[in-house]
Amino acid sequence: MQKKSLFKEFSKGIIKENPVLCLVLGTCPTLAVTTQASNAIGMGAAATIVLICSNAAISLLRKVIPGKVRIPAYITIIAGFVTMVQMLVKAFAPAIDEALGIYLPLIVVNCIILGRAEMFASKNSVIPSMVDGLGMGVGFTAAMLLMGSIREILGAGTFFGIPITSGFMDPILVFILPPGGFFVFGMLVALSSKLSGQKKTAEDISCAKCPMNKTCSKVNGEEGKCNG
Amino acid sequence: MVKQLVAVFLAAILTENYVLSKFLGICPFLGVSKKVNTALGMSAAVTFVMVLATAVTYPIYENILVPFGLEYLQTIVFILVIAGLVQLVEIILKKYMPPLYNSLGIYLPLITTNCAVLGVTMLVLEKAAQDPSYTYVTALVNAFGAGIGFLVAMVIFAGVRGRLETADIPKSLKGLPITLVSASLVSVSFLGFAGLVEGLMG
């Protein structure tokens, strides 16, 4: 029974509550680093490690951190883990560090991580929180890999750097430029909400899960709607 | 000197637009661009915090972190400084400038976790490391330009979204997907500026 529910926590992050395609969190790195499939893997791995560690730490400290200062406390914990990952990547994978550049330290402000801390780790015990972090991280990586593959194959004619479309198709450069990122992401979100047959639109779901929901709806003057 | 500043300012707005070419600050770009006046308020607050954050973090990095060999603490120090700064600005505005607080205040909590602000403070340091003629003033101008670039992108996009409301959109594209596709088209228009600044400034 326990094993089954842990598996459920893991698998929900990949398909049902995929952080990128269903919850629409963490859009900045998703759009920025997916010009190549290999960047997507590097970014995904870094974010997954941070997610697992920060979820574990926040879950352990959830009874110690006072409610009022929880967001700054979470950000500090996350920033600590991001710094560690940054140093590890710099030491062991300098090529990935070069490719990701500024987006590696920016994992700190990635809303997937803060969102999971607020939604899950602050309410659950350590093991489920870590499994949740792993599932969300794998879902994030999978979505970025999908987007990176589409953009790399169409935009550069290569896949993980290996030329594959040189025989029959010229690369469509715009797909690896910024407009292509927005376009491919829009199409994937449309496809995912079509396939899952959700009656709700993507943004209703993302807003309920977003830690900034309250502030956002105050700004727009509408309850529970930040994106629409 | 002035020429360099103008070039940096224009480049930050047009060719290196933080939203449309660097993908920083996508959440507010998609979230608060529904109406032109909220887009303006949000961008004004972002510009203000960007300049202020750069003004504070640049000397901290150069004068505290570098001399003591603590560059690796950059991420953690910057995010805490920005979070503290935003709180401080909120308190000061509330106490001494209520009209400004009423128009900008509600946007301030959203800005702490805005990656564009953290991104600017880090990117100017990256640029300063590569180019010796890049000074504190250049960094401030760059941050201001980044904020104005954010404003331009937000206002243009708010206008485009206004048109979308009356358009007949296929069912599965409604909502977020069509917003992203229109962002893509706005971004195409900014591609046209590539090379413009270098051409103008020689």
Side-chain angles (χ1 to χ4, degrees):
Chain A
M1 184 61 207
Q2 173 119 46
K3 223 176 190 177
K4 206 175 173 190
S5 70
L6 273 185
F7 182 72
K8 227 173 162 186
E9 297 299 353
F10 172 71
S11 64
K12 73 165 192 268
I14 301 174
I15 297 168
K16 216 176 97 208
E17 291 183 27
N18 187 296
V20 179
L21 297 175
C22 299
L23 308 183
V24 202
L25 295 172
T27 39
C28 301
T30 309
L31 290 165
V33 304
T34 51
T35 49
Q36 279 174 15
S38 55
N39 286 354
I41 300 249
M43 182 72 198
T48 308
I49 295 170
V50 175
L51 249 172
I52 297 172
C53 297
S54 67
N55 262 8
I58 287 163
S59 165
L60 282 170
L61 293 169
R62 69 185 188 280
K63 288 184 183 127
V64 186
I65 299 172
K68 272 197 172 160
V69 293
R70 64 181 197 287
I71 300 281
Y74 295 165
I75 292 180
T76 315
I77 293 169
I78 295 166
F81 285 117
V82 169
T83 309
M84 279 184 227
V85 168
Q86 224 180 318
M87 291 166 94
L88 286 173
V89 171
K90 257 198 192 110
F92 295 107
I96 292 180
D97 180 59
E98 188 96 333
L100 297 181
I102 182 115
Y103 298 99
L104 196 56
L106 285 180
I107 296 177
V108 173
V109 281
N110 188 322
C111 14
I112 296 177
I113 295 167
L114 193 59
R116 289 330 284 175
E118 171 87 354
M119 292 299 302
F120 199 92
S122 61
K123 293 173 193 136
N124 291 283
S125 58
V126 181
I127 302 292
S129 298
M130 287 175 76
V131 173
D132 174 79
L134 180 67
M136 285 290 159
V138 171
F140 181 51
T141 314
M144 284 205 301
L145 181 62
L146 178 63
M147 223 176 116
S149 311
I150 295 175
R151 287 181 70 186
E152 195 183 343
I153 291 171
L154 291 178
T158 60
F159 186 54
F160 284 101
I162 305 158
I164 52 165
T165 61
S166 53
F168 56 93
M169 191 187 98
D170 285 331
I172 311 163
L173 186 66
V174 77
F175 275 98
I176 54 169
L177 295 175
F182 282 113
F183 185 76
V184 173
F185 189 41
M187 289 300 134
L188 285 180
V189 172
L191 194 68
S192 101
S193 59
K194 174 111 189 156
L195 287 181
S196 57
Q198 288 155 345
K199 289 221 172 103
K200 284 181 180 173
T201 54
E203 65 248 16
D204 291 332
I205 301 163
S206 80
C207 279
K209 303 269 172 184
C210 174
M212 306 311 282
N213 180 21
K214 268 202 187 130
T215 339
C216 228
S217 47
K218 216 189 324 177
V219 170
N220 275 345
E222 286 167 59
E223 198 56 43
K225 266 204 170 171
C226 66
N227 274 330
Chain B
M1 183 64 195
V2 176
K3 202 173 163 188
Q4 187 210 10
L5 291 183
V6 175
V8 164
F9 182 69
L10 286 180
I13 299 175
L14 300 174
T15 49
E16 294 171 13
N17 191 292
Y18 274 66
V19 181
L20 296 170
S21 70
K22 287 196 198 302
F23 298 117
L24 297 172
I26 297 290
C27 298
F29 179 64
L30 298 176
V32 255
S33 59
K34 216 176 165 191
K35 294 185 206 109
V36 176
N37 49 352
T38 44
L40 271 174
M42 179 72 189
S43 334
V46 165
T47 312
F48 182 62
V49 173
M50 269 179 178
V51 175
L52 207 60
T54 310
V56 174
T57 53
Y58 193 95
I60 288 181
Y61 185 79
E62 295 281 317
N63 300 322
I64 300 177
L65 297 184
V66 173
F68 291 103
L70 297 173
E71 290 95 336
Y72 65 91
L73 285 180
Q74 191 197 34
T75 315
I76 200 161
V77 168
F78 280 20
I79 189 78
L80 289 179
V81 166
I82 292 170
L85 205 64
V86 171
Q87 280 290 311
L88 194 70
V89 168
E90 202 180 342
I91 294 168
I92 293 176
L93 284 186
K94 205 172 187 174
K95 183 119 206 282
Y96 296 106
M97 287 171 262
L100 197 62
Y101 176 76
N102 289 336
S103 52
L104 295 186
I106 47 167
Y107 304 103
L108 286 173
L110 279 178
I111 291 174
T112 318
T113 50
N114 182 338
C115 45
V117 176
L118 187 62
V120 167
T121 59
M122 288 181 168
L123 279 172
V124 293
L125 286 170
E126 213 166 81
K127 278 190 183 164
Q130 287 162 359
D131 179 5
S133 67
Y134 201 93
T135 60
Y136 186 50
V137 180
T138 330
L140 289 182
V141 170
N142 195 337
F144 183 62
I148 299 296
F150 187 76
L151 184 138
V152 170
M154 286 279 272
V155 171
I156 292 178
F157 195 53
V160 173
R161 285 185 83 173
R163 292 292 181 93
L164 269 183
E165 295 205 338
T166 50
D168 182 23
I169 301 155
K171 198 171 150 249
S172 30
L173 284 180
K174 266 190 187 135
L176 190 65
I178 195 71
T179 312
L180 285 163
V181 172
S182 15
S184 159
L185 294 176
V186 174
S187 170
V188 169
S189 68
F190 271 74
L191 277 187
F193 293 120
L196 177 84
V197 175
E198 290 78 6
L200 274 181
M201 298 293 163

